[in-house]
Amino acid sequence: MDVDLVCDIASLDSELLQLPDVSSFAIKDNPYVAQKLFDQWLSIPDTTNLVKNLVNNAKASGPLNVTGTSSSTNVATSSSLPSMFPAGSTPPLSPRSSSGSPRPTRPRPGPSTLGSPLKLVNEPVKELIPQFYFQNGRPPPNELKERCLFRINQFFHGHTDGLQMDEFKPITKEICKLPSFFSTVLFRKIDVDRTGIITRDVFVDYWVNRNMLTKDIATQMYTILKQPDLKHLTQDDFKPILRELLATHPGLEFLRNTPEFQERYAETVIYRIFFYVNRLGDGHLTLRELKRSDLIAAMQHADEEEDINKVLRYFSYEHFYVIYCKFWELDTDHDFLIDKENLIRYGNHGLTYRIVDRVFSQVPRKFTSKVEGKMGYEDFVYFILSEEDKTSEPGLEYWFKCTDLDGNGILTRNEMQFFYEEQLHRMECMGQEPVLFEDILCQMVDMISPEDESYFTLRDLKGNKLSGSVFNVLFNLNKFMAFETRDPFLIRQERENPHLTEWDRFAHREYIRLSMEEDAEDASNGSADVWDESLEAPF
């Protein structure tokens, strides 16, 4: 008991005892003196009154307002605890050396006011961070907003009742800076009540007040095309703009009397868009995929270029013509479906049976055809784009999935040899000198330079321009032989037009061939002269 009392007394603070001139070390070193001083302090009448008041306040659950002496000058002397020494009778301290205390002392905080200790800490200055996220887009700056409103007033001048759909195209192109064939879909997006008229205030509310003005063009197109309840674009979302493109583009005017081919052209363009842009291959085109693609640039090019065949990406009619005619040649019964026996004839029987089996096992892509063992038109579009441009990322992924038999993400020696065996057999049957697999494997390793020479990864193939030749070696004999006996003229052409893809070159060659065959057929029937007729598609 005495030990506890000594410890408690030794922990007393001279500031709490109202002894500013008494060292705390002196009290701790002399607990007996501290006890006597404490007893004397309790005997002072003011102390007795203070303790009684504190007890009464505690019983009444009231605030305990006790203020001690501190270094702060803001504490009132009337609220301090009573001192045990009369004024002027404080005993002197023992003399100290000029070097100071033998032990370092740390400053002690003032006595607690029984309130929050955070009140004694200076609050840091809060840095004002400007708003960086806006749910509906960043509001336009005043200058941009005023300039846009001025242009809007010019276009709506004299149209107090609003603009109809056929009058809205200048707004789409000049104010919104979108391709003109977005006019109809944008009009319907704004005219939610289907009144057939858009007034100035309605347009300003949609384009300016909803901050469409400050969004990038990819986000604008995505917002306009997307269905309200979805977070992605589907194939159906592109049909309205393609219908307007077919109806208004001068390069597609010749198709207006053949609605069946208009529909096929629109489908083919959409399939090409999703083949290249929808990298996940799930049919859900996201905003991120749209921003990373060249689709917007192609749309703007199609809007400015009168010759649609010069828009090689997605919209070329010549490219559609080649795809459709190739499909029609294979579909002998014209039920718009092709089977294995049909596909094996593709490219003058260039493909092996083993690779065709892998395609029809739907490993690279699930068929959209509802008939088992049959490939539909959309499936064929994905196939031909992959086959004729194996250097593109979608094409590489397509054929890598076909040749990766166990699906472990690497192309091993055994898997490559499995496909090459049929190639070797075909060479022998054709009387050509066979190339042993060991020799051809060394050549492929030299071409690709993989990280590990014992296998190929998709990453190895994507980083090399000759990666498409690896697949030709494995399962396309005609292209393999063409690669071994490369024509210097074709090599020079490739160097002169490096911006053209393998698909662009193939489509150009095939369109000329198909057009010449069509012209020759017309000439044999006496319907046209071969040299007077244009090479343009008959429909």
Side-chain angles (χ1 to χ4, degrees):
M1 184 68 180
D2 293 338
V3 176
D4 296 339
L5 179 61
V6 171
C7 293
D8 293 340
I9 293 174
S11 62
L12 289 175
D13 194 335
S14 60
E15 294 183 1
L16 292 177
L17 296 176
Q18 297 292 303
L19 300 174
D21 297 328
V22 178
S23 172
S24 60
F25 298 110
I27 296 177
K28 292 180 179 180
D29 294 339
N30 300 280
Y32 178 75
V33 175
Q35 180 178 358
K36 291 298 183 182
L37 291 174
F38 186 69
D39 292 340
Q40 184 177 354
W41 179 76
L42 287 176
S43 65
I44 298 175
D46 291 341
T47 303
T48 304
N49 295 334
L50 177 62
V51 172
K52 289 181 179 180
N53 290 335
L54 291 174
V55 173
N56 292 333
N57 289 339
K59 292 180 179 180
S61 300
L64 303 179
N65 297 322
V66 181
T67 306
T69 304
S70 66
S71 59
S72 175
T73 58
N74 296 330
V75 180
T77 58
S78 60
S79 63
S80 62
L81 293 175
S83 177
M84 67 178 63
F85 297 109
S89 62
T90 305
L93 296 175
S94 61
R96 298 184 180 182
S97 63
S98 59
S99 60
S101 174
R103 292 190 298 173
T105 59
R106 58 185 178 89
R108 303 183 63 86
S112 173
T113 58
L114 299 183
S116 174
L118 297 178
K119 295 181 180 179
L120 300 177
V121 181
N122 293 328
E123 295 183 359
V125 179
K126 294 182 179 179
E127 182 182 358
L128 182 60
I129 300 177
Q131 183 178 354
F132 59 88
Y133 172 74
F134 301 88
Q135 184 177 2
N136 298 319
R138 182 180 295 274
N142 291 332
E143 182 180 356
L144 177 62
K145 182 177 180 179
E146 293 299 327
R147 188 164 61 247
C148 182
L149 290 175
F150 177 76
R151 293 281 290 157
I152 292 173
N153 292 335
Q154 287 182 324
F155 279 96
F156 277 89
H157 180 71
H159 299 84
T160 56
D161 295 334
L163 297 175
Q164 297 181 357
M165 185 176 295
D166 57 349
E167 303 171 317
F168 194 69
K169 187 170 291 186
I171 297 288
T172 304
K173 194 168 179 63
E174 301 298 332
I175 300 296
C176 304
K177 306 298 182 183
L178 296 171
S180 60
F181 49 87
F182 271 73
S183 178
T184 300
V185 67
L186 177 60
F187 186 94
R188 292 174 177 171
K189 193 78 172 183
I190 301 174
D191 184 23
V192 293
D193 296 330
R194 298 293 186 266
T195 61
I197 294 178
I198 293 179
T199 63
R200 174 199 174 278
D201 293 340
V202 172
F203 178 75
V204 169
D205 180 66
Y206 179 83
W207 193 256
V208 180
N209 296 341
R210 298 187 187 182
N211 305 327
M212 286 286 287
L213 175 62
T214 56
K215 295 178 180 178
D216 59 271
I217 188 170
T219 306
Q220 290 173 350
M221 290 183 175
Y222 179 80
T223 304
I224 293 170
L225 295 177
K226 184 179 69 68
Q227 299 299 319
D229 55 338
L230 297 179
K231 295 183 179 180
H232 56 264
L233 297 177
T234 64
Q235 292 185 4
D236 291 339
D237 295 330
F238 289 89
K239 291 182 179 180
I241 62 174
L242 284 170
R243 279 195 293 266
E244 185 166 358
L245 179 71
L246 284 162
T248 59
H249 199 283
L252 297 170
E253 185 177 0
F254 66 96
L255 278 179
R256 293 177 185 172
N257 296 327
T258 54
E260 64 276 13
F261 289 112
Q262 283 187 336
E263 187 70 21
R264 294 302 176 201
Y265 169 81
E267 288 179 357
T268 306
V269 171
I270 293 173
Y271 298 155
R272 294 183 66 188
I273 288 173
F274 274 77
F275 174 79
Y276 288 105
V277 180
N278 181 213
R279 302 301 301 115
L280 294 179
D282 56 359
H284 298 165
L285 199 154
T286 63
L287 177 59
R288 178 190 175 102
E289 291 173 330
L290 181 62
K291 288 183 176 182
R292 297 178 64 181
S293 71
D294 58 354
L295 176 58
I296 295 174
M299 286 181 172
Q300 293 171 329
H301 187 195
D303 192 43
E304 300 296 334
E305 179 59 60
E306 291 187 359
D307 186 358
I308 197 66
N309 291 320
K310 292 183 178 180
V311 189
L312 300 179
R313 298 296 283 172
Y314 313 111
F315 294 96
S316 171
Y317 177 81
E318 291 182 356
H319 291 188
F320 153 72
Y321 185 84
V322 170
I323 294 173
Y324 186 82
C325 288
K326 283 289 185 180
F327 181 82
W328 194 253
E329 287 176 354
L330 299 179
D331 182 21
T332 53
D333 56 0
H334 303 313
D335 61 349
F336 230 65
L337 296 170
I338 58 178
D339 55 19
K340 289 183 182 180
E341 295 303 321
N342 298 139
L343 190 63
I344 203 68
R345 296 187 293 107
Y346 179 83
N348 195 21
H349 295 81
L351 299 173
T352 62
Y353 280 95
R354 291 183 178 180
I355 199 65
V356 171
D357 287 340
R358 290 290 288 174
V359 171
F360 273 83
S361 65
Q362 306 181 39
V363 172
R365 181 178 183 271
K366 295 294 182 183
F367 287 170
T368 58
S369 168
K370 304 300 182 182
V371 181
E372 185 177 357
K374 298 281 188 176
M375 174 188 285
Y377 180 65
E378 179 180 352
D379 308 316
F380 179 78
V381 172
Y382 275 72
F383 163 79
I384 192 173
L385 293 176
S386 301
E387 168 60 19
E388 301 304 337
D389 192 5
K390 294 187 178 75
T391 57
S392 66
E393 283 198 12
L396 285 174
E397 293 172 2
Y398 188 96
W399 294 118
F400 188 87
K401 292 177 182 177
C402 284
T403 52
D404 182 16
L405 296 176
D406 54 6
N408 62 349
I410 61 175
L411 199 56
T412 63
R413 171 193 172 99
N414 292 335
E415 289 171 329
M416 289 186 281
Q417 188 172 9
F418 171 79
F419 288 99
Y420 187 74
E421 285 175 352
E422 190 173 350
Q423 292 279 70
L424 193 62
H425 177 69
R426 297 175 74 187
M427 285 186 235
E428 294 173 349
C429 293
M430 295 173 65
Q432 297 183 0
E433 182 180 357
V435 182
L436 298 179
F437 176 73
E438 288 74 16
D439 297 333
I440 202 67
L441 180 61
C442 291
Q443 294 183 29
M444 292 191 295
V445 171
D446 292 339
M447 283 193 304
I448 303 302
S449 299
E451 294 182 3
D452 190 324
E453 294 186 357
S454 61
Y455 57 83
F456 293 159
T457 65
L458 186 59
R459 180 179 178 181
D460 295 331
L461 297 174
K462 285 185 176 181
N464 195 290
K465 294 182 179 180
L466 298 175
S467 55
S469 300
V470 171
F471 295 117
N472 289 332
V473 168
L474 296 180
F475 53 75
N476 193 314
L477 184 59
N478 295 339
K479 291 184 178 181
F480 176 34
M481 293 293 102
F483 179 75
E484 289 292 306
T485 59
R486 278 164 287 184
D487 186 353
F489 177 72
L490 294 178
I491 296 176
R492 184 163 61 95
Q493 277 188 328
E494 293 177 4
R495 292 176 179 174
E496 291 176 353
N497 300 289
H499 63 283
L500 296 179
T501 64
E502 292 295 327
W503 164 256
D504 295 333
R505 296 187 178 94
F506 166 80
H508 180 68
R509 294 192 305 267
E510 285 298 307
Y511 182 77
I512 293 177
R513 182 186 67 81
L514 292 169
S515 299
M516 293 179 66
E517 289 179 358
E518 188 71 25
D519 290 340
E521 183 179 349
D522 291 342
S524 64
N525 294 332
S527 60
D529 187 89
V530 175
W531 305 108
D532 292 341
E533 282 293 319
S534 170
L535 293 181
E536 197 169 47
F539 39 72

Short mmCIF file of all heavy atoms in Angstrom, two decimals, residues 173-207:
data_model
loop_
_atom_site.label_atom_id
_atom_site.label_comp_id
_atom_site.label_asym_id
_atom_site.label_seq_id
_atom_site.Cartn_x
_atom_site.Cartn_y
_atom_site.Cartn_z
N LYS A 173 -23.18 18.02 -88.81
CA LYS A 173 -21.84 18.14 -89.38
C LYS A 173 -21.09 19.39 -88.89
O LYS A 173 -19.90 19.31 -88.57
CB LYS A 173 -21.94 18.16 -90.91
CG LYS A 173 -20.62 17.94 -91.61
CD LYS A 173 -20.84 17.69 -93.08
CE LYS A 173 -19.50 17.47 -93.81
NZ LYS A 173 -18.79 16.29 -93.33
N GLU A 174 -21.75 20.52 -88.81
CA GLU A 174 -21.07 21.77 -88.49
C GLU A 174 -21.00 22.06 -86.99
O GLU A 174 -19.97 22.53 -86.50
CB GLU A 174 -21.77 22.94 -89.20
CG GLU A 174 -21.82 22.81 -90.72
CD GLU A 174 -20.43 22.79 -91.34
OE1 GLU A 174 -19.51 23.39 -90.75
OE2 GLU A 174 -20.28 22.17 -92.39
N ILE A 175 -22.06 21.77 -86.27
CA ILE A 175 -22.08 22.04 -84.82
C ILE A 175 -21.49 20.87 -84.05
O ILE A 175 -20.60 21.04 -83.21
CB ILE A 175 -23.52 22.34 -84.34
CG1 ILE A 175 -24.08 23.56 -85.07
CG2 ILE A 175 -23.52 22.56 -82.83
CD1 ILE A 175 -23.35 24.85 -84.78
N CYS A 176 -21.98 19.67 -84.34
CA CYS A 176 -21.54 18.50 -83.58
C CYS A 176 -20.25 17.89 -84.11
O CYS A 176 -19.65 17.05 -83.42
CB CYS A 176 -22.65 17.43 -83.59
SG CYS A 176 -24.23 18.02 -82.96
N LYS A 177 -19.83 18.28 -85.31
CA LYS A 177 -18.59 17.78 -85.91
C LYS A 177 -18.61 16.25 -86.06
O LYS A 177 -17.59 15.59 -85.92
CB LYS A 177 -17.38 18.19 -85.08
CG LYS A 177 -17.28 19.67 -84.81
CD LYS A 177 -17.13 20.48 -86.08
CE LYS A 177 -16.99 21.96 -85.80
NZ LYS A 177 -16.90 22.78 -87.05
N LEU A 178 -19.77 15.70 -86.37
CA LEU A 178 -19.93 14.27 -86.57
C LEU A 178 -20.13 13.99 -88.05
O LEU A 178 -20.52 14.88 -88.82
CB LEU A 178 -21.14 13.75 -85.78
CG LEU A 178 -21.07 13.84 -84.26
CD1 LEU A 178 -22.42 13.48 -83.65
CD2 LEU A 178 -19.98 12.93 -83.72
N PRO A 179 -19.87 12.75 -88.50
CA PRO A 179 -20.16 12.41 -89.89
C PRO A 179 -21.63 12.65 -90.22
O PRO A 179 -22.51 12.48 -89.38
CB PRO A 179 -19.81 10.92 -89.97
CG PRO A 179 -18.81 10.70 -88.88
CD PRO A 179 -19.21 11.63 -87.78
N SER A 180 -21.89 13.05 -91.45
CA SER A 180 -23.25 13.44 -91.83
C SER A 180 -24.23 12.28 -91.72
O SER A 180 -25.43 12.50 -91.48
CB SER A 180 -23.25 14.00 -93.25
OG SER A 180 -22.78 13.02 -94.16
N PHE A 181 -23.74 11.02 -91.86
CA PHE A 181 -24.68 9.89 -91.78
C PHE A 181 -25.06 9.54 -90.34
O PHE A 181 -25.75 8.57 -90.10
CB PHE A 181 -24.13 8.66 -92.51
CG PHE A 181 -22.72 8.28 -92.18
CD1 PHE A 181 -22.44 7.47 -91.10
CD2 PHE A 181 -21.67 8.74 -92.95
CE1 PHE A 181 -21.15 7.11 -90.79
CE2 PHE A 181 -20.36 8.38 -92.66
CZ PHE A 181 -20.09 7.57 -91.58
N PHE A 182 -24.62 10.36 -89.38
CA PHE A 182 -25.11 10.26 -88.01
C PHE A 182 -26.33 11.14 -87.77
O PHE A 182 -26.88 11.16 -86.67
CB PHE A 182 -24.01 10.68 -87.01
CG PHE A 182 -23.12 9.55 -86.57
CD1 PHE A 182 -22.19 9.01 -87.42
CD2 PHE A 182 -23.23 9.03 -85.29
CE1 PHE A 182 -21.36 7.98 -87.03
CE2 PHE A 182 -22.41 7.99 -84.87
CZ PHE A 182 -21.47 7.46 -85.75
N SER A 183 -26.76 11.86 -88.79
CA SER A 183 -27.82 12.86 -88.61
C SER A 183 -29.13 12.24 -88.12
O SER A 183 -29.74 12.72 -87.17
CB SER A 183 -28.04 13.60 -89.94
OG SER A 183 -29.08 14.53 -89.81
N THR A 184 -29.55 11.16 -88.77
CA THR A 184 -30.84 10.55 -88.40
C THR A 184 -30.83 9.99 -86.99
O THR A 184 -31.76 10.22 -86.20
CB THR A 184 -31.21 9.45 -89.41
OG1 THR A 184 -31.31 10.02 -90.72
CG2 THR A 184 -32.53 8.81 -89.03
N VAL A 185 -29.78 9.24 -86.65
CA VAL A 185 -29.73 8.62 -85.33
C VAL A 185 -29.58 9.68 -84.24
O VAL A 185 -30.15 9.54 -83.14
CB VAL A 185 -28.59 7.59 -85.27
CG1 VAL A 185 -27.22 8.25 -85.37
CG2 VAL A 185 -28.67 6.77 -83.99
N LEU A 186 -28.87 10.77 -84.52
CA LEU A 186 -28.76 11.86 -83.54
C LEU A 186 -30.09 12.58 -83.37
O LEU A 186 -30.50 12.91 -82.25
CB LEU A 186 -27.68 12.85 -83.98
CG LEU A 186 -27.50 14.08 -83.10
CD1 LEU A 186 -27.12 13.69 -81.66
CD2 LEU A 186 -26.43 15.02 -83.67
N PHE A 187 -30.79 12.79 -84.48
CA PHE A 187 -32.10 13.45 -84.41
C PHE A 187 -33.06 12.64 -83.54
O PHE A 187 -33.75 13.19 -82.68
CB PHE A 187 -32.65 13.60 -85.83
CG PHE A 187 -33.93 14.40 -85.91
CD1 PHE A 187 -33.89 15.76 -86.18
CD2 PHE A 187 -35.17 13.80 -85.72
CE1 PHE A 187 -35.06 16.50 -86.25
CE2 PHE A 187 -36.33 14.52 -85.79
CZ PHE A 187 -36.28 15.88 -86.05
N ARG A 188 -33.09 11.33 -83.75
CA ARG A 188 -34.00 10.49 -82.97
C ARG A 188 -33.56 10.37 -81.51
O ARG A 188 -34.39 10.16 -80.63
CB ARG A 188 -34.09 9.11 -83.61
CG ARG A 188 -34.80 9.14 -84.97
CD ARG A 188 -34.75 7.80 -85.66
NE ARG A 188 -35.49 7.84 -86.93
CZ ARG A 188 -35.47 6.86 -87.83
NH1 ARG A 188 -34.76 5.76 -87.60
NH2 ARG A 188 -36.17 6.98 -88.95
N LYS A 189 -32.26 10.50 -81.27
CA LYS A 189 -31.77 10.46 -79.89
C LYS A 189 -32.25 11.68 -79.11
O LYS A 189 -32.58 11.60 -77.92
CB LYS A 189 -30.24 10.41 -79.89
CG LYS A 189 -29.62 10.05 -78.56
CD LYS A 189 -29.71 8.57 -78.30
CE LYS A 189 -28.94 8.15 -77.07
NZ LYS A 189 -28.97 6.69 -76.86
N ILE A 190 -32.30 12.83 -79.79
CA ILE A 190 -32.75 14.06 -79.13
C ILE A 190 -34.27 14.14 -79.07
O ILE A 190 -34.84 14.51 -78.04
CB ILE A 190 -32.18 15.29 -79.87
CG1 ILE A 190 -30.64 15.23 -79.88
CG2 ILE A 190 -32.65 16.58 -79.22
CD1 ILE A 190 -29.99 16.33 -80.71
N ASP A 191 -34.92 13.75 -80.14
CA ASP A 191 -36.39 13.83 -80.22
C ASP A 191 -37.00 12.59 -79.55
O ASP A 191 -37.52 11.69 -80.21
CB ASP A 191 -36.81 13.92 -81.69
CG ASP A 191 -38.32 14.10 -81.85
OD1 ASP A 191 -38.95 14.59 -80.89
OD2 ASP A 191 -38.85 13.75 -82.92
N VAL A 192 -36.92 12.56 -78.22
CA VAL A 192 -37.39 11.39 -77.48
C VAL A 192 -38.91 11.24 -77.56
O VAL A 192 -39.42 10.12 -77.45
CB VAL A 192 -36.94 11.48 -76.01
CG1 VAL A 192 -35.43 11.36 -75.90
CG2 VAL A 192 -37.42 12.78 -75.37
N ASP A 193 -39.63 12.33 -77.77
CA ASP A 193 -41.09 12.26 -77.84
C ASP A 193 -41.59 11.98 -79.25
O ASP A 193 -42.82 11.93 -79.46
CB ASP A 193 -41.70 13.58 -77.34
CG ASP A 193 -41.39 13.83 -75.87
OD1 ASP A 193 -41.25 12.83 -75.13
OD2 ASP A 193 -41.28 15.00 -75.47
N ARG A 194 -40.66 11.81 -80.21
CA ARG A 194 -41.01 11.50 -81.60
C ARG A 194 -41.97 12.54 -82.19
O ARG A 194 -42.95 12.20 -82.85
CB ARG A 194 -41.63 10.10 -81.69
CG ARG A 194 -40.69 8.98 -81.27
CD ARG A 194 -39.53 8.87 -82.24
NE ARG A 194 -38.68 7.73 -81.95
CZ ARG A 194 -37.59 7.77 -81.21
NH1 ARG A 194 -37.20 8.94 -80.67
NH2 ARG A 194 -36.85 6.70 -81.01
N THR A 195 -41.66 13.82 -81.98
CA THR A 195 -42.48 14.89 -82.54
C THR A 195 -42.11 15.19 -83.99
O THR A 195 -42.89 15.82 -84.70
CB THR A 195 -42.31 16.17 -81.71
OG1 THR A 195 -40.93 16.58 -81.73
CG2 THR A 195 -42.74 15.92 -80.27
N GLY A 196 -40.93 14.76 -84.41
CA GLY A 196 -40.49 15.04 -85.77
C GLY A 196 -39.85 16.41 -85.92
O GLY A 196 -39.46 16.79 -87.03
N ILE A 197 -39.73 17.15 -84.82
CA ILE A 197 -39.16 18.49 -84.86
C ILE A 197 -38.26 18.68 -83.63
O ILE A 197 -38.61 18.25 -82.52
CB ILE A 197 -40.25 19.59 -84.88
CG1 ILE A 197 -41.05 19.52 -86.19
CG2 ILE A 197 -39.65 20.98 -84.70
CD1 ILE A 197 -42.17 20.53 -86.26
N ILE A 198 -37.12 19.33 -83.84
CA ILE A 198 -36.21 19.66 -82.74
C ILE A 198 -36.06 21.17 -82.69
O ILE A 198 -35.62 21.80 -83.66
CB ILE A 198 -34.83 19.00 -82.91
CG1 ILE A 198 -34.95 17.49 -82.78
CG2 ILE A 198 -33.83 19.54 -81.90
CD1 ILE A 198 -33.63 16.76 -82.95
N THR A 199 -36.44 21.76 -81.58
CA THR A 199 -36.32 23.21 -81.41
C THR A 199 -34.92 23.56 -80.91
O THR A 199 -34.13 22.69 -80.51
CB THR A 199 -37.35 23.72 -80.41
OG1 THR A 199 -37.10 23.13 -79.12
CG2 THR A 199 -38.77 23.36 -80.85
N ARG A 200 -34.64 24.86 -80.93
CA ARG A 200 -33.32 25.32 -80.46
C ARG A 200 -33.10 24.95 -79.01
O ARG A 200 -32.02 24.44 -78.64
CB ARG A 200 -33.21 26.83 -80.64
CG ARG A 200 -31.93 27.42 -80.04
CD ARG A 200 -32.03 28.92 -79.82
NE ARG A 200 -30.86 29.41 -79.12
CZ ARG A 200 -30.67 29.36 -77.81
NH1 ARG A 200 -31.62 28.81 -77.04
NH2 ARG A 200 -29.57 29.84 -77.26
N ASP A 201 -34.09 25.18 -78.17
CA ASP A 201 -33.92 24.93 -76.74
C ASP A 201 -33.71 23.45 -76.45
O ASP A 201 -32.91 23.09 -75.58
CB ASP A 201 -35.15 25.44 -75.96
CG ASP A 201 -35.26 26.96 -76.01
OD1 ASP A 201 -34.23 27.62 -76.29
OD2 ASP A 201 -36.37 27.47 -75.77
N VAL A 202 -34.41 22.59 -77.19
CA VAL A 202 -34.25 21.16 -76.99
C VAL A 202 -32.84 20.72 -77.38
O VAL A 202 -32.19 19.92 -76.68
CB VAL A 202 -35.30 20.38 -77.79
CG1 VAL A 202 -35.02 18.88 -77.76
CG2 VAL A 202 -36.70 20.65 -77.24
N PHE A 203 -32.34 21.26 -78.50
CA PHE A 203 -31.00 20.90 -78.92
C PHE A 203 -29.95 21.42 -77.95
O PHE A 203 -28.98 20.71 -77.63
CB PHE A 203 -30.72 21.44 -80.33
CG PHE A 203 -29.33 21.15 -80.81
CD1 PHE A 203 -28.98 19.89 -81.24
CD2 PHE A 203 -28.36 22.16 -80.82
CE1 PHE A 203 -27.69 19.61 -81.67
CE2 PHE A 203 -27.08 21.89 -81.25
CZ PHE A 203 -26.74 20.62 -81.68
N VAL A 204 -30.11 22.66 -77.49
CA VAL A 204 -29.16 23.23 -76.53
C VAL A 204 -29.15 22.42 -75.24
O VAL A 204 -28.09 22.18 -74.64
CB VAL A 204 -29.50 24.71 -76.26
CG1 VAL A 204 -28.70 25.25 -75.06
CG2 VAL A 204 -29.22 25.55 -77.49
N ASP A 205 -30.31 22.00 -74.80
CA ASP A 205 -30.36 21.21 -73.57
C ASP A 205 -29.61 19.89 -73.72
O ASP A 205 -28.90 19.46 -72.80
CB ASP A 205 -31.83 20.93 -73.21
CG ASP A 205 -31.97 20.11 -71.94
OD1 ASP A 205 -31.60 20.62 -70.86
OD2 ASP A 205 -32.40 18.95 -72.03
N TYR A 206 -29.71 19.26 -74.90
CA TYR A 206 -29.04 17.97 -75.09
C TYR A 206 -27.55 18.16 -75.33
O TYR A 206 -26.72 17.46 -74.72
CB TYR A 206 -29.66 17.23 -76.28
CG TYR A 206 -29.01 15.89 -76.56
CD1 TYR A 206 -29.37 14.76 -75.85
CD2 TYR A 206 -28.01 15.77 -77.53
CE1 TYR A 206 -28.76 13.53 -76.08
CE2 TYR A 206 -27.40 14.54 -77.78
CZ TYR A 206 -27.78 13.43 -77.05
OH TYR A 206 -27.16 12.22 -77.29
N TRP A 207 -27.18 19.07 -76.20
CA TRP A 207 -25.78 19.16 -76.63
C TRP A 207 -24.91 20.02 -75.71
O TRP A 207 -23.74 19.71 -75.49
CB TRP A 207 -25.72 19.69 -78.06
CG TRP A 207 -24.36 19.51 -78.67
CD1 TRP A 207 -23.41 20.46 -78.88
CD2 TRP A 207 -23.82 18.28 -79.16
NE1 TRP A 207 -22.30 19.90 -79.46
CE2 TRP A 207 -22.52 18.56 -79.65
CE3 TRP A 207 -24.30 16.97 -79.24
CZ2 TRP A 207 -21.70 17.58 -80.20
CZ3 TRP A 207 -23.48 16.00 -79.78
CH2 TRP A 207 -22.20 16.30 -80.25
#
